[in-house]
Amino acid sequence: MLPLALLWMHNAEQQPTIDMPLHWQSEGATPIAVHRGSWTDPAATFVGLKGGSPSPEAKKYFGQAAKTYQDILDRAAKKQLDLDSQLNGQITLALAKTKREMGDYEGSIKIFMQVLTANSKLLSVQMEACRTYEEWSERSGEPKYYLNALGGSMETKGKKSTIWGWIEMAKITSNRPEFRDAFYESRFHVSLARYKYGLAQKDSAKRTENLL
């Protein structure tokens, strides 16, 4: 019967209408928020955010992972272990992200700085460093790190920062089709970090100034 059913199909080429929400947010101890620009546009943006803090048990396992990563890197530095440069870099980044999950943001940023001092053009590492600054502000309640997420590490006045920041990344990736996703994410985080920095201002005048 299925082959005959094809003969009576009406408007087979007509695309079905998709009527689904573009925003969704959960509640609870670990809230999740999801946004997408469209269900039908292949170039639409998609963003997912997860909140919450790691449990004490999770922190214990993160600590064990960080210790293992550091041990591998130390042994490689002493020539006790043969690691190629790519694997060494991957383990170094894993250590930086693990420290971030543990809440050791200063240690995480220090590693990102070391990696980017050697090669500042590692875009994925630049983005991870900016995410770390944002999370640092979010978890510590110190809004100043949002400014680092926006403007970078700013370690030397008048010179380009080792960690670029979302604003500089948006400039560098604009008009570069191969970096389209990085550009859209950078622009999104420029707005997000500015908004959160404004909300964090205790003085109402400063809050209004930063939000307008």
Side-chain angles (χ1 to χ4, degrees):
M1 293 296 293
L2 182 58
L4 294 176
L6 296 175
L7 298 176
W8 285 279
M9 288 183 67
H10 180 65
N11 293 331
E13 296 182 357
Q14 184 176 350
Q15 294 295 322
T17 300
I18 299 178
D19 185 17
M20 297 179 66
L22 300 177
H23 314 279
W24 181 82
Q25 179 177 339
S26 71
E27 302 294 340
T30 309
I32 298 173
V34 177
H35 165 78
R36 65 188 306 142
S38 169
W39 284 97
T40 56
D41 182 3
T45 57
F46 177 85
V47 178
L49 301 172
K50 182 177 83 67
S53 301
S55 65
E57 185 176 6
K59 285 185 177 180
K60 180 182 74 172
Y61 291 121
F62 281 131
Q64 292 174 355
K67 185 177 182 299
T68 300
Y69 290 140
Q70 188 64 65
D71 181 60
I72 293 171
L73 294 172
D74 290 344
R75 290 172 63 192
K78 296 175 182 178
K79 307 298 182 183
Q80 298 173 354
L81 192 64
D82 185 21
L83 287 183
D84 60 40
S85 59
Q86 182 177 1
L87 185 55
N88 191 294
Q90 290 173 348
I91 294 173
T92 301
L93 293 181
L95 175 60
K97 289 191 280 189
T98 300
K99 283 182 174 291
R100 180 176 65 194
E101 293 297 332
M102 294 169 59
D104 182 8
Y105 300 107
E106 186 174 359
S108 179
I109 287 294
K110 183 178 179 180
I111 295 173
F112 285 130
M113 288 282 289
Q114 292 171 349
V115 173
L116 293 170
T117 297
N119 185 359
S120 65
K121 295 182 180 180
L122 295 172
L123 194 61
S124 61
V125 182
Q126 290 283 1
M127 297 176 79
E128 288 292 350
C130 290
R131 294 186 189 109
T132 302
Y133 276 130
E134 279 191 27
E135 189 173 314
W136 197 351
S137 263
E138 190 77 28
R139 296 282 178 84
S140 68
E142 289 284 350
K144 63 181 180 180
Y145 299 115
Y146 286 128
L147 297 180
N148 290 115
L150 289 164
S153 46
M154 298 183 285
E155 67 275 18
T156 306
K157 189 175 182 180
K159 293 185 178 180
K160 190 173 182 179
S161 300
T162 302
I163 297 174
W164 296 341
W166 293 120
I167 294 174
E168 183 66 18
M169 259 190 294
K171 292 178 182 177
I172 290 173
T173 56
S174 63
N175 300 318
R176 299 283 297 274
E178 68 271 29
F179 298 134
R180 184 184 65 178
D181 290 345
F183 169 72
Y184 285 135
E185 182 169 353
S186 298
R187 286 299 306 156
F188 169 79
H189 280 280
V190 168
S191 299
L192 181 65
R194 281 175 171 166
Y195 175 70
K196 288 188 173 182
Y197 178 75
L199 286 182
Q201 300 306 306
K202 296 180 180 180
D203 182 79
S204 59
K206 288 186 177 180
R207 187 184 306 117
T208 302
E209 178 185 350
N210 283 279
L211 290 175
L212 292 180

